[in-house]
């Protein structure tokens, strides 16, 4: 039988992971070694390895890992595990790989006790903060990978103790300072690309066989020291993305770091060189201005001839009108009348209601106060990077202001008297037992596992009448934070938000400490997957389908923001929360789950919304205008086919908003960044209007963003 301490440790881990479908694994007891639990390696009765690479795990690691007495290898890479990296890890561990997950927080100082550690890979997570000075005893460590995080600060002194280190990957972080501490290490591979390191580079490092150092502001205004003349490659021009960092870092920016260097090293020759260079740059700049003015005038004239007054924003270039699409490119026919199928209004379809026992709850539910309490909960502070900190999108396009005459209550809008919040008989939900859901999901089997998110795992459930539903099994972390009563409040809150474009809550289960939410099932998965991973559905996303999806999503937000009383803020609006049914109609998921998101242990997970979150997220403020920003990001994904944040792209292109927004006002650049899979099948006018909506949504100042009902009106006019 497996060592009881190891069993306790593995049970604890299973709970923290949200008990995903792993063969053999149990929440309590069991014999991991004897029964060959999936991914568990043993020597006799001791667990020595946990190897679950790419096993679709979500949840967190919890705090039981330190209980393992003999674990040598932990490989949990390529999953969706979030939360912080636990400390302590098993003291016996030699190889740890947690790469490509969603870990947040800082690198734990408890690493210092892992004296047997040989390899540590924490790359491609959302780790932040400074490195702990905890490497003193790790003299056996030969590979350390911390790349692709948001680590900041200087290299800690104890890195110098890693006397066996041959591979060090630190690329794609925000580390500053010099590399001096690395110079005596036996490194064979060193990658420090895309950080904020400043020079000079110690000469010894230049002899490392594989040394990659691009994308650091080594040059800036460093003045070569007479003792250590700067190598010639340091004279390269700073790349475009280095400039904002320098400003953002203020006094600690590399330029300032070196400002203490005595001026006497500026020789007369250097001064003359700088002066001549400066004059040349000035001449080139003036020439560019003249050319631009001339070009601008010509294009304005041309634009008038082409009656481009339909474009609501003056573009830098308008030479690509609709007629300028390449010949032979099929144009999608956009009928004058709306292509949307009429929606069934905002209220729930009363025929769709199931016979539903009211959840056992003694108090009468005051829906209004529930919603109010969830809305007024103090906003959390999220540890985000300074995404967009230095980014200022162009000024708002004028059309929302110019539309003063637009009736905010459009033709498809229903009166607030149909708002379900005010319905005398709030919607009901079905109560499921654990046993029935177990039966419908085939014991939450792997073949019914759909995916995992920050609250737990989602499974396909087939009811006896063949109806398919989606069951969201809330994991322990999500449950622990809330009492039974709060959970019931949440259920009521969700079930009273009913709209054709919001995923419907069919029922729930709260039994034996387990909590599950049962939703209608959306056959075509998420918009995120449709755009970025599922080629078959991607091909079906024609331009008009994309406009329809944007409209559906906007209508859902309009309902939450402007129809429900009090208004509801989604808090986690992103393409992964837009589900598509068999007709590719959009259904927004996770509506009403904001109280779960706002619990302290979950706030870090919001980083999964990386690239979709409004800048004010950084300061802990989140309003309906932040939802509008995220909506703009979804529209950008629809337009470009790119992810909101894509680590695999070159650094300047990783944040979609940063990369795309400056291009939205230039018709040439705009038509170049359209999703190539559309094969040009859209009209330039439609594309331009789509771009206008996006730029109004992703403005840095929340108060400049339009109310979502105006966006609905704009999109309605486009379909
Ligand atoms: N009603 C549903 N119908 C079909 N698939 C669903 C449904 N709800 C969720 N899914 C699938 O389950 C996966 C996990 O969903 P979940 O809402 O738990 O997480 P997420 O939205 O991906 O992430 P996060 O929790 O960070 O918002 C989704 O990616 C989606 O593919």
């Amino acid at each position: 039988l497996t060592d009881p301490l190891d069993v306790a440790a593995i049970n604890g881990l299973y709970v923290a992971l949200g008990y995903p479908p792993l063969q053999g694994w149990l929440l309590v007891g069991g014999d991991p070694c004897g029964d060959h639990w999936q991914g568990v390696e043993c020597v006799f009765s001791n667990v020595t390895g946990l190897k679950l690479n790419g096993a679709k795990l979500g949840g967190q690691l919890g705090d039981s890992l330190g209980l393992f007495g003999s674990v040598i290898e932990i490989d949990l890479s390529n999953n969706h595990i979030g939360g912080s990296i636990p400390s302590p890890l098993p003291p016996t561990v030699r190889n740890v790989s947690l790469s490509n997950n969603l870990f947040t927080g800082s690198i734990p100082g408890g690493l210092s006790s892992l004296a047997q550690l040989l390899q540590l890979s924490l790359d491609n997570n959302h780790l932040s903060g400074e490195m702990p000075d905890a490497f003193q005893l790790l003299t056996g460590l030969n590979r350390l990978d911390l790349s692709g995080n948001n680590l900041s600060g200087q290299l800690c002194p104890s890195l110098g103790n890693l006397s066996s280190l041959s591979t060090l990957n630190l690329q794609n972080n925000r580390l500053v300072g010099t590399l001096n501490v690395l110079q005596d290490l036996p490194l064979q591979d060193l990658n420090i690309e895309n950080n904020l390191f400043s020079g000079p580079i110690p000469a010894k490092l230049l002899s490392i066989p594989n040394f990659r150092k691009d994308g650091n502001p080594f040059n800036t205004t460093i003045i070569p020291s007479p003792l250590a003349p700067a190598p010639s490659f340091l004279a390269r021009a700073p790349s475009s993305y280095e400039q904002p960092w320098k400003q953002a870092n203020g006094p600690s920016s590399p330029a300032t770091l070196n400002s203490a260097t005595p001026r006497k090293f500026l020789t007369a020759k250097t001064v003359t060189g700088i002066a001549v260079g400066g004059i040349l740059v000035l001449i080139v700049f003036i020439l560019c201005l003249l050319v631009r003015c001339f070009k601008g005038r010509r294009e304005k004239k041309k634009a008038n001839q082409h009656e481009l007054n339909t474009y609501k924003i003056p573009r830098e270039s308008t030479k690509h009108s609709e007629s300028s699409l390449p010949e032979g490119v099929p144009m999608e026919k956009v009928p004058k009348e709306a292509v949307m199928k009429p929606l069934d209004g905002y209220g729930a379809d009363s025929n769709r209601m199931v016979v539903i026992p009211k959840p056992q709850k003694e108090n009468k539910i005051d829906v209004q106060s529930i919603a109010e309490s969830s809305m007024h909960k103090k906003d959390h502070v999220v540890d985000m990077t300074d995404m967009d900190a230095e980014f200022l999108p162009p000024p708002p396009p004028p059309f929302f202001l110019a539309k003063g005459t637009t009736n905010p209550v459009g033709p498809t809008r229903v009166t607030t008297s149909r708002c379900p919040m005010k319905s005398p008989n709030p919607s009901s939900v079905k109560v499921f037992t654990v046993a029935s859901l177990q039966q419908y999901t085939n014991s939450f089997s792997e073949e019914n596992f759909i995916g995992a998110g920050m609250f737990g795992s989602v499974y396909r459930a087939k009811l006896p009448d063949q109806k398919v539903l989606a069951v969201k099994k809330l994991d322990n972390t999500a449950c622990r934070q809330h009492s039974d009563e709060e959970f019931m409040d949440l259920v009521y809150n969700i079930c009273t938000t009913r709209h054709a474009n919001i995923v419907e809550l069919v029922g729930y289960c709260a039994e034996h400490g387990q909590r599950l939410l049962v939703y209608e099932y959306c056959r075509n998965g998420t918009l995120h997957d449709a755009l970025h991973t599922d080629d078959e559905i991607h091909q079906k996303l024609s331009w008009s389908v994309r406009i329809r999806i944007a409209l559906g999503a906007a209508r859902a937000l309009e309902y939450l923001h402007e129809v429900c009383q009090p208004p509801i803020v989604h808090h986690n609006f992103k393409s992964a929360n837009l589900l598509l049914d068999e007709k590719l109609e959009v259904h927004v998921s996770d509506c009403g789950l904001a109280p779960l998101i706002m619990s302290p242990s979950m706030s870090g997970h919001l980083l999964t919304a990386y690239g979709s979150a409004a800048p004010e997220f950084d300061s802990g403020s989140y309003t309906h205008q932040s939802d509008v920003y995220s909506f703009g990001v979804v529209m950008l994904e629809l337009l470009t086919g790119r992810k909101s944040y894509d680590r695999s792209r070159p650094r300047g292109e990783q944040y979609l908003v940063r990369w795309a927004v400056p291009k939205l006002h230039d018709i040439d650049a705009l038509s170049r960044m359209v999703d190539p899979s559309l094969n040009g099948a859209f009209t330039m006018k439609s594309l331009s209007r789509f771009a206008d909506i996006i730029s109004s949504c992703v403005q840095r100042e929340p108060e400049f963003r339009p109310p979502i009902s105006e966006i609905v009106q704009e999109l309605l006019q486009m379909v």
Side-chain angles (χ1 to χ4, degrees):
L1 274 183
T2 310
D3 182 322
L5 256 187
D6 285 351
V7 176
I10 205 164
N11 289 155
L13 174 64
Y14 195 38
V15 171
L17 290 171
Y19 36 102
L22 290 173
Q23 223 176 348
W25 287 53
L26 296 175
L27 288 168
V28 183
D31 183 9
C33 295
D35 294 340
H36 305 291
W37 289 14
Q38 182 183 341
V40 177
E41 288 183 354
C42 295
V43 172
F44 302 118
S45 59
N46 290 111
V47 175
T48 54
L50 293 169
K51 294 187 180 169
L52 292 164
N53 179 334
K56 298 183 184 163
L57 304 178
Q60 304 194 359
L61 289 186
D63 40 24
S64 68
L65 275 183
L67 294 178
F68 284 106
S70 314
V71 163
I72 293 170
E73 177 156 10
I74 297 177
D75 183 0
L76 299 172
S77 48
N78 302 308
N79 284 295
H80 311 283
I81 307 171
S84 50
I85 295 176
S87 180
L89 288 164
T92 49
V93 76
R94 291 185 194 164
N95 296 336
V96 176
S97 179
L98 303 178
S99 313
N100 290 307
N101 274 289
L102 304 172
F103 288 107
T104 55
S106 49
I107 299 174
L111 283 182
S112 57
S113 59
L114 306 181
Q116 306 195 33
L117 203 59
L118 301 178
Q119 305 207 347
L120 176 64
S121 304
L122 304 179
D123 51 295
N124 295 308
N125 280 290
H126 300 306
L127 299 171
S128 54
E130 299 196 5
M131 279 187 204
D133 196 16
F135 297 93
Q136 289 85 350
L137 299 181
L138 311 191
T139 48
L141 190 70
N142 61 52
R143 186 190 149 83
L144 176 61
D145 193 342
L146 304 176
S147 60
N149 282 292
N150 292 307
L151 300 173
S152 53
Q154 307 206 7
L155 296 182
C156 59
S158 62
L159 279 176
N161 293 40
L162 299 177
S163 51
S164 306
L165 196 69
S166 66
T167 300
L168 177 60
N169 290 341
L170 297 173
Q171 68 270 23
N172 300 328
N173 279 292
R174 298 160 55 206
L175 296 162
V176 299
T178 68
L179 301 170
N180 295 349
V181 69
L182 305 179
Q183 60 186 329
D184 293 322
L185 302 182
L187 288 164
Q188 296 296 306
D189 286 285
L190 173 62
N191 190 336
I192 52 152
E193 286 181 335
N194 303 323
N195 274 290
L196 302 166
F197 288 116
S198 48
I201 300 176
K204 283 184 186 172
L205 293 186
L206 298 174
S207 59
I208 291 175
N210 190 8
F211 180 26
R212 299 176 63 177
K213 56 192 172 310
D214 286 349
N216 281 284
F218 285 122
N219 52 323
T220 63
T221 56
I222 292 168
I223 297 156
S225 145
L227 298 173
S232 58
F233 63 80
L234 296 185
R236 73 172 175 81
S239 63
S240 55
Y241 56 80
E242 285 164 359
Q243 298 303 327
W245 286 118
K246 276 190 271 169
Q247 285 167 10
N249 279 356
S252 62
S253 70
T256 328
L257 281 174
N258 290 283
S259 61
T261 315
R263 289 235 166 251
K264 63 182 174 181
F265 296 115
L266 281 176
T267 61
K269 219 171 160 184
T270 319
V271 171
T272 316
I274 291 171
V276 171
I279 291 167
L280 279 176
V281 168
L282 198 69
I283 292 171
V284 171
F285 180 69
I286 291 169
L287 279 175
C288 284
L289 263 183
L290 286 173
V291 169
R292 209 180 152 97
C293 272
F294 179 65
K295 204 176 156 198
R297 276 192 181 186
R298 255 186 30 202
E299 283 172 356
K300 205 172 168 190
K301 212 167 147 193
K302 208 171 160 189
N304 287 339
Q305 285 163 4
H306 283 264
E307 297 178 63
L308 284 177
N309 51 350
T310 43
Y311 286 68
K312 291 189 177 117
I313 314 174
R315 308 243 171 234
E316 277 176 44
S317 159
T318 51
K319 66 186 170 194
H320 281 247
S321 65
E322 289 177 54
S323 57
S324 70
L325 278 173
E327 269 182 51
V329 170
M331 288 271 216
E332 185 151 81
K333 294 264 181 290
V334 181
K336 280 204 179 100
E337 62 279 7
V339 294
M340 286 281 293
K341 83 168 168 59
L343 296 174
D344 56 353
Y346 290 116
D349 178 350
S350 55
N351 295 329
R352 210 169 36 172
M353 288 299 176
V354 278
V355 184
I356 303 148
K358 203 170 175 185
Q360 281 92 50
K361 191 162 183 261
E362 270 158 36
N363 307 348
K364 279 235 161 16
I365 308 285
D366 173 0
V367 175
Q368 182 119 345
S369 69
I370 293 162
E372 233 162 272
S373 72
S374 64
M375 293 304 302
H376 293 164
K377 263 187 193 150
K378 192 110 185 84
D379 282 332
H380 56 273
V381 179
V382 185
D383 178 22
M384 292 284 288
T385 61
D386 57 351
M387 170 198 169
D388 287 335
E390 69 282 5
F391 169 67
L392 283 175
F399 73 83
F400 290 108
L401 300 175
K403 286 243 149 116
T405 52
T406 305
N407 180 3
V409 182
T412 58
R413 191 158 164 185
V414 293
T415 58
T416 47
S417 64
R418 288 194 63 194
C419 171
M421 288 302 216
K422 291 194 173 166
S423 161
N425 174 22
S427 335
S428 328
V429 286
K430 192 170 173 120
V431 185
F432 289 90
T433 60
V434 170
S436 66
L437 291 177
Q438 224 155 12
Q439 186 193 336
Y440 305 152
T441 58
N442 193 14
S443 296
F444 298 101
S445 63
E446 191 160 4
E447 65 270 20
N448 284 322
F449 175 74
I450 311 178
M454 66 173 133
F455 306 122
S457 308
V458 179
Y459 296 85
R460 204 176 296 104
K462 200 168 190 182
L463 271 54
D465 64 0
Q466 303 304 305
K467 191 174 166 64
V468 180
L469 297 172
V471 179
K472 184 176 277 197
K473 196 163 73 162
L474 299 182
D475 67 23
N476 215 26
T477 326
C479 291
R480 215 176 17 214
Q481 312 289 327
H482 301 272
S483 65
D484 283 345
E485 194 167 33
E486 284 170 329
F487 178 67
M488 293 312 299
D489 288 351
L490 188 91
V491 168
Y492 261 72
N493 225 357
I494 303 170
C495 78
T496 48
T497 50
R498 293 202 177 232
H499 182 272
N501 296 111
I502 289 180
V503 180
E504 183 189 333
L505 183 78
V506 176
Y508 74 97
C509 167
E511 214 183 35
H512 308 312
Q514 308 212 31
R515 290 171 186 167
L516 303 100
L517 297 169
V518 184
Y519 289 100
E520 65 172 318
Y521 176 71
C522 296
R523 193 166 301 280
N524 275 322
T526 67
L527 176 64
H528 181 274
D529 292 347
L531 281 170
H532 311 306
T533 58
D534 188 328
D535 286 342
E536 205 185 318
I537 302 183
H538 196 157
Q539 291 310 315
K540 294 182 188 162
L541 298 181
S542 64
W543 184 244
S544 67
V545 168
R546 292 180 200 218
I547 295 174
R548 241 172 50 196
I549 289 174
L551 176 61
R555 277 179 154 156
L557 279 183
E558 181 189 31
Y559 168 80
L560 294 174
H561 292 179
E562 299 181 23
V563 178
C564 288
Q565 283 306 325
I568 295 175
V569 178
H570 187 283
H571 265 266
N572 194 15
F573 194 89
K574 56 182 179 180
S575 58
N577 275 335
L578 301 186
L579 298 171
L580 300 173
D581 65 18
E582 63 283 358
K583 292 180 191 152
L584 297 177
E585 297 287 357
V586 75
H587 299 251
V588 178
S589 72
D590 287 1
C591 296
L593 292 188
L596 285 184
I597 296 172
M598 288 188 290
S599 64
S601 69
M602 282 293 161
S603 57
H605 284 274
L606 281 174
L607 290 167
T608 54
Y610 229 46
S612 300
E616 62 269 21
F617 234 59
D618 263 346
S619 57
S621 120
Y622 200 101
T623 66
H624 63 282
Q625 290 154 325
S626 319
D627 278 351
V628 171
Y629 181 100
S630 303
F631 173 81
V633 179
V634 168
M635 282 188 70
L636 256 186
E637 288 183 63
L638 284 165
L639 190 151
T640 60
R642 290 182 176 222
K643 293 181 187 167
S644 56
Y645 174 65
D646 189 346
R647 215 190 272 274
S648 66
R649 290 194 182 270
R651 187 145 175 152
E653 299 183 19
Q654 289 181 351
Y655 286 105
L656 182 56
V657 171
R658 251 190 239 182
W659 172 78
V661 170
K663 300 177 172 57
L664 289 172
H665 295 279
D666 175 342
I667 200 80
D668 286 340
L670 178 60
S671 44
R672 274 199 303 273
M673 74 181 189
V674 176
D675 186 349
S677 78
L678 285 166
N679 293 319
F682 48 84
T683 67
M684 290 309 287
K685 181 178 164 189
S686 181
L687 178 66
S688 174
R689 292 179 77 166
F690 205 81
D692 290 349
I693 299 175
I694 294 171
S695 26
S696 68
C697 292
V698 297
Q699 291 178 85
R700 191 168 174 75
E701 298 303 328
E703 55 275 18
F704 289 156
R705 297 172 205 148
I708 195 75
S709 52
E710 289 190 10
I711 296 167
V712 170
Q713 295 305 316
E714 277 297 318
L715 288 165
L716 268 173
Q717 286 173 26
M718 288 175 65
V719 287

